[in-house]
Amino acid sequence: MTAGTRHGQQMARIIDIEADRQAALEAASAALADGFAIAIPTETVYGLAADATNPAAITRIYETKGRPRFNPLICHMADLAMAEEHAEFDPVSRALAAAFWPGPLTLVLPLKPESPIHSLATAGLDSVGIRVPKGFAGALIGAFGRPLAAPSANTSGAISATSAAHVEADLGAKLPLILDAGPSAVGVESTIVKVEGDRLRLLRPGGLAAREIERVAGRPLLRAKTASAAIEAPGMLVSHYAPGAAVRLNARAVEPGEALIGFGSAAVSGAEAARIVLDLSPRGDLAEAAANLFDYMKRADASGASSIAFSPIPEEGLGEAINDRLQRAAAPRD
Ligand code: TXA
Ligand code: MG
């Protein structure tokens, strides 16, 4: 791969997929075949993608993110047919896939013994997290012909990237290639669910609202915020998405010099003395708020405020995923 040089440092080549889709497909396929990890756009967040069947390539994901240990990674597929080559589908999971793929839903399913997905991608589990992303990523996987393991394209523990500029600022010196498709439409990671017999478990709230899943599955999603759930989704570290600044939730007032991230044009006392004031969605739309969340966190952080105050976010619809990310951003860090 050729990459540009900035300030004497190797920097990633950035290709705008709207400007040159064919160049993007070819460069990405070549880099993936050579075992590189590259940044790709998805509708949820930007992914740091590598060939899920190549152990050296998967190791590059962990090295690039500086992730301290091996967690199971979501394996991205071109379509349901490709997913069925790698995992066993029960009827409820198949109905969810038919309803929501391509889209922000990850299904945890039994891994087929003959699947070439490497155990470094599944962390040695006999299950695999699978999703079919919308747009260019799906086309790329189809052209490449193999599943792509892809966590969010950010340094471990930091705020997820929802634009190519976010990826470049964080990982540009460590990557050969970043594909740019503009801001991610959904803005938070996929919702992860697992069917267990008659039960349907929510392993991570995300960009598909729980009630949409319940409507198609015809049964409630069980929220298991227990120690065993933490073990089952080991990527769900308590402190995550952490900005440099401290994070204060459910704020009704803002202290002088704090940054304020509001919601729904709610009045917040002291806002005139805040260092920066942003509103995730002045009209109170939770999908718009999710799409803006990580970018606004980065902007508030860049303002130099020592603390970011967030207005309360309703716990309905995508608010469940937003509040999950905010609680992790606010959690004690060690
Ligand atoms: O939206 C998304 O899902 C983004 C974009 C890039 O597609 N990807 C993403 O991937 O967030 P990743 O690899 O960071 O997601 C890992 C999450 C962790 O919480 C992990 O524990 C869970 O998926 N996971 C993966 N495989 C699993 C398995 N077999 N059993 C339980 N949880 C699993
Ligand atoms: Mg992440």
Side-chain angles (χ1 to χ4, degrees):
M1 291 297 305
T2 49
T5 307
R6 228 157 293 160
H7 311 298
Q9 230 181 3
Q10 280 301 115
M11 289 297 286
R13 177 180 175 198
I14 301 177
I15 304 179
D16 179 344
I17 66 155
E18 251 113 86
D20 201 342
R21 194 178 167 88
Q22 198 52 35
L25 267 180
E26 284 167 15
S29 297
L32 292 168
D34 286 344
F36 286 101
I38 63 170
I40 62 168
T42 88
E43 78 280 35
T44 57
V45 298
Y46 275 68
L48 184 59
D51 180 349
T53 69
N54 177 344
I58 299 161
T59 301
R60 281 214 169 95
I61 294 177
Y62 289 102
E63 284 170 358
T64 305
K65 284 183 71 81
R67 206 178 246 199
R69 58 170 192 260
F70 289 79
N71 296 318
L73 299 174
I74 294 173
C75 293
H76 298 68
M77 306 283 169
D79 50 30
L80 177 58
M82 186 174 181
E84 298 217 49
E85 291 171 25
H86 298 277
E88 299 286 357
F89 279 73
D90 60 274
V92 171
S93 294
R94 191 175 281 110
L96 292 172
F100 299 117
W101 283 355
L105 172 70
T106 294
L107 297 167
V108 173
L109 298 163
L111 180 67
K112 284 190 170 170
E114 66 271 25
S115 167
I117 291 175
H118 196 271
S119 59
L120 279 178
T122 58
L125 299 172
D126 54 12
S127 59
V128 60
I130 291 185
R131 91 174 182 98
V132 175
K134 218 174 255 180
F136 181 84
L140 171 62
I141 297 162
F144 183 58
R146 290 199 282 276
L148 297 181
S152 54
N154 54 271
T155 299
S156 181
I159 300 168
S160 305
T162 53
S163 72
H166 291 165
V167 181
E168 188 190 21
D170 183 6
L171 300 175
K174 296 182 175 176
L175 290 178
L177 181 64
I178 298 170
L179 302 182
D180 184 355
S184 302
V186 175
V188 291
E189 293 84 348
S190 60
T191 303
I192 306 179
V193 305
K194 184 182 186 187
V195 174
E196 287 176 346
D198 291 342
R199 289 160 176 256
L200 184 60
R201 289 183 50 201
L202 179 67
L203 300 185
R204 176 177 78 183
L208 180 63
R211 61 163 183 260
E212 301 283 311
I213 296 169
E214 291 174 329
R215 188 173 49 76
V216 170
R219 66 197 69 191
L221 257 177
L222 304 177
R223 275 92 166 158
K225 288 192 172 148
T226 62
S228 70
I231 289 161
E232 198 142 1
M236 298 289 284
L237 303 176
V238 173
S239 173
H240 208 124
Y241 310 100
V247 170
R248 203 160 65 76
L249 303 183
N250 298 315
R252 305 278 181 188
V254 55
E255 310 293 331
E258 265 190 325
L260 171 64
I261 300 186
F263 175 77
S265 306
V268 177
S269 68
E272 61 291 340
R275 191 175 279 253
I276 183 173
V277 178
L278 300 165
D279 194 316
L280 289 170
S281 173
R283 61 194 160 99
D285 176 342
L286 288 163
E288 182 182 37
N292 287 329
L293 178 66
F294 292 139
D295 185 56
Y296 285 15
M297 282 171 72
K298 284 171 188 275
R299 283 165 61 180
D301 212 15
S303 76
S306 57
S307 168
I308 306 171
F310 281 87
S311 295
I313 309 287
E315 181 68 7
E316 72 217 29
L318 295 191
E320 186 173 3
I322 296 171
N323 284 320
D324 172 83
R325 304 306 188 265
L326 290 181
Q327 275 147 23
R328 290 173 206 283
R333 300 160 196 176
D334 47 29

